Amino acid sequence: MKVLKFGGTSIENSERIRNVLGIIRNAIKDSPVIIVVSAIRKVTDLLLEAAVAAGSGDAGYRERLVTIENIHGDLVRDLIDLSRRNEVQEVLTDELKELGDILYGVSLLRDLSDRSKALILSFGERFSARIMSTFFCQEGLDASYTDARKLIVTDTNHCDARVDMSASSELISAWFKEERGVPVVTGYIGAAHDGTATTLGRGGSDYTATILGSVAGADEIQIWTDVDGFFSADPKRVKDAYVLPFISYGEAMELSHSGAKVLHPYSVHPAMKKGIPITIRNSYNPDVEGTRISAPEGSDTGSGKPVTGLSSINDVVLLNFSGSGMVGVPGIASRLFSCLARHKINIIFISQASSEQSISLAINLVQAEKARLLLEQEFAAELAARQIESLTFRKHIAIIAVVGKQMPGHPGVSAHLFETLGKNGINVIAVAQGANEMNISFVIDSHDEDKALHCVHESFLLSRRKVHVFIAGTGTIAKSLIGQIRDHSLTLRKEKEMDVVVSGMANTRMHVSDDDGIDLSRWESGLKPRNDGKTVSDYVDYIKSRNLHNTIFVDCTASAEVAACYPELLASNISVVTANKLGTAGSWELYETISGALHASNARFLYETNVGAGLPIINTLNDLRNSGDRIVRIEGVLSGTLSYIFNELRKGGKFSEIVRSARDAGYTEPDPREDLSGADFARKFLILGRELGYRLDYEDIECESLVPESLRGEMSVEEFMERLGSIDAEYQTRISEAAEKGMTIAYAGEISEGKARIGVKMLPVSNPVAGLNGTENLVVFTTDRYLDTPLVVKGPGAGGEVTAGGVFADILRIASYLI
């Protein structure tokens, strides 16, 4: 035989109840069945609202009563033929009158006891079972209504009763011997030894089903609900969660006790004791096999992963009990737990340090104030004597449980878990792990709950991991970067099992965002005007508010305002990749603030493109220093524009004509004076100097401007270009003088002994700088290891595609670290 339990969503209207009838017909072909039903969806909530309203003397309970009557009246009219309608309607009318009388009495007394509340809540299942049993009889099934108050015996904790299995087994066994046909049993409710109605807690119909199934010796207990089975995490919170085809009894108990709402926490034990499998099925999609819960068999090896699933509980309070006077004092913990137990306050989580100076407990939010008052009374003497120094309650926390039957004896699970949380800046407040090693539970701020669920779920249960990228700027570099991410995404998924998801883009005028990823083939059309006056800091606030796991901020602007936001991002454990030099080459105060924020967080900050676009200059420098090499000197050319100008000069061109051709080719800024000033070159050398550990500001860089003093006044670009020919002869002379000495000239820089100098230099023709072509950049590292033959890094040092490639490489470096 089988026990089939149907939840409130499975029977919420006449269409769904007809669908349930089809499921029962299929099941009854193979074996007898027992049907257990919950209240119609939302009815239990309405009953509770009515009870609370009545308890406070609010006549609004009558409105809820009318709504409840209408819900069931509509079902009767939709399902029951006229020949049977009067009979069932008469019974419902009597029970509705009884319910109304109880609520009226509660409202007169203005006293809602747990005993009254349990009786009021019992009506939901009584109504639904009555209607469904009548409908099944009408459709040809030999169905009968059964009130579980006659079968399940509990204690007198009326609203969250504990079942007396011995007494219940006797009643169920006697009933089962007499029962014929298809019983339709009220879930969720029972009765105390004195006959008063009790409830088994929210979701208690599952428990009813497993109690009946265990006593009756069922072959299977089916829990029909509105999801396809037990998921690896809550699918409403973790979009990548998937159905688990099999979990063990132990895993089901751990997950349900830790917040998984698909199954009542106590429902597994009766079935496990008798070895009866439980299956979780979807009444909306009955062809799906769902999840089987049983003892592992030969084929039930699982995925091979140590972790099976995650669950979480929020709306809890962490009680921390601490004091040096607790150390070595027997009975403190006993008194603490006994005090809470006497007053029926359930402890969800326990953690105690080996120093014995503190005990942390998690309890339900609604019981927190009661617990505080009780414990202050219990330990009044110890608190007064400062043996117990503090009794604190921390709200807005969540407990996440990581569960898996293969976790025991699997080294590294805890290390991997806490590393994942740490990299995402999630602070763990308390931790608990049982000796069976099947469950690691940890407490975090509720603000981080979704973030933690996502990153831990991906880390343990998915082969592919996500990084969320937010881009500032939509110019040339950003456009090239988007194209590279789009074109390379399939390769990253296949070869690196990595998803780079662009979740936001913004500039000063437009923005677009989507946590799940912007469509990179049409992102420009998705940009929306920003007419709300919001600034860069608002974009940063938005990114922080999303609190997504594995987040990287990418700066493709040249904005000082964006650069000023780096410390705030890093402090929020959001990694930063930047092509913007105004952070690393900004004021020393900003540079120090960025460094401080970086060291205080687990985020990463990469800026390879700040110096050489796509050239590996920063990484090479850091590798040399980190491996113990001493940098003697850095030389080079770090301006593609100025490299081109001097490369052409060495071929015999005129300075003014070369500048004009460079401008026409797009190698210079619209105003070439910005390039000729050497300012950009100086900022790059400032960054290198700081990387070497020197305290430098922009003013400390000795930089020769190629703009003649006579042309530095206010004038248009065209006037400047026309007058630039006045210095052609000077450069011709300098080249000739250098040639006479077997040398050449170049605009190059050098850092040594804490000094940085940039200007026109006379160099041997054998110098690597003399061999540059076009807009190539070059850096020469002279170190203790590379003393006789310096290390040279050479290549294109400008261009949107090259720079975007460097930014993309930095993104992938951080992504690899995060995942």
Side-chain angles (χ1 to χ4, degrees), residues 310-379:
L310 315 177
S311 58
S312 65
I313 308 172
N314 47 34
D315 290 332
V316 293
V317 172
L318 188 69
L319 181 161
N320 193 58
F321 202 66
S322 63
S324 57
M326 293 168 55
V327 178
V329 179
I332 293 287
S334 174
R335 286 172 59 196
L336 171 62
F337 298 136
S338 296
C339 175
L340 296 176
R342 283 196 306 272
H343 295 89
K344 302 189 185 303
I345 293 175
N346 186 43
I347 300 172
I348 302 167
F349 170 99
I350 304 171
S351 177
Q352 181 176 16
S354 60
S355 67
E356 301 182 56
Q357 290 195 63
S358 69
I359 302 174
S360 296
L361 310 172
I363 58 177
N364 195 291
L365 177 63
V366 298
Q367 295 183 308
E369 183 59 23
K370 179 180 178 182
R372 184 183 66 80
L373 293 172
L374 289 169
L375 293 176
E376 285 179 351
Q377 292 170 10
E378 176 71 24
F379 293 97

Side-chain angles (χ1 to χ4, degrees), residues 14-207:
S14 57
E15 180 185 354
R16 301 252 44 92
I17 292 175
R18 289 189 174 94
N19 182 62
V20 163
L21 175 61
I23 293 171
I24 294 170
R25 287 192 192 282
N26 283 333
I28 211 169
K29 291 176 184 176
D30 301 324
S31 62
V33 297
I34 295 174
I35 309 301
V36 177
V37 296
S38 298
I40 305 297
R41 180 172 175 263
K42 294 184 178 180
V43 167
T44 300
D45 288 336
L46 287 167
L47 286 166
L48 182 58
E49 290 170 12
V52 171
S56 62
D58 180 358
Y61 77 84
R62 295 192 182 95
E63 296 176 11
R64 274 83 167 186
L65 189 59
V66 169
T67 302
I68 292 166
E69 182 177 1
N70 291 337
I71 288 171
H72 295 92
D74 290 343
L75 277 179
V76 169
R77 284 187 289 275
D78 288 346
L79 291 171
I80 310 301
D81 293 342
L82 287 172
S83 59
R84 296 175 183 263
R85 190 177 300 169
N86 287 340
E87 179 185 345
V88 69
Q89 190 66 62
E90 191 174 307
V91 174
L92 288 177
T93 299
D94 289 344
E95 292 193 332
L96 282 164
K97 183 179 184 304
E98 180 187 351
L99 173 60
D101 290 344
I102 295 166
L103 288 167
Y104 178 64
V106 169
S107 70
L108 287 177
L109 295 172
R110 297 197 176 195
D111 178 24
L112 179 63
S113 66
D114 283 352
R115 178 172 173 171
S116 298
K117 186 192 295 184
L119 179 58
I120 292 166
L121 294 178
S122 74
F123 281 91
E125 278 69 19
R126 290 156 60 183
F127 292 155
S128 62
R130 185 75 67 181
I131 293 171
M132 291 180 68
S133 60
T134 304
F135 173 65
F136 293 160
C137 285
Q138 171 187 294
E139 298 301 312
L141 294 183
D142 183 15
S144 60
Y145 169 81
T146 303
D147 190 333
R149 290 179 294 175
K150 298 177 181 178
L151 304 177
I152 294 179
V153 183
T154 72
D155 63 12
T156 54
N157 185 21
H158 289 87
C159 290
D160 191 13
R162 297 296 176 266
V163 175
D164 182 336
M165 283 300 298
S166 177
S168 300
S169 295
E170 289 184 15
L171 292 176
I172 294 168
S173 297
W175 163 77
F176 189 64
K177 289 176 183 176
E178 300 296 327
E179 185 63 35
R180 296 292 182 270
V182 180
V184 181
V185 185
T186 57
Y188 177 57
I189 62 176
H193 288 277
D194 62 4
T196 55
T198 60
T199 64
L200 307 182
R202 293 304 290 261
S205 296
D206 299 340
Y207 195 15

Side-chain angles (χ1 to χ4, degrees), residues 406-419:
Q406 297 187 51
M407 283 168 54
H410 195 292
V413 174
S414 296
H416 186 50
L417 169 64
F418 296 118
E419 181 185 24

Side-chain angles (χ1 to χ4, degrees), residues 241-272:
Y242 54 86
V243 175
L244 301 167
F246 166 82
I247 55 175
S248 67
Y249 289 125
E251 289 169 322
M253 284 196 291
E254 294 285 0
L255 289 167
S256 59
H257 275 281
S258 301
K261 295 182 175 63
V262 72
L263 196 63
H264 187 278
Y266 301 138
S267 59
V268 177
H269 187 262
M272 180 177 70

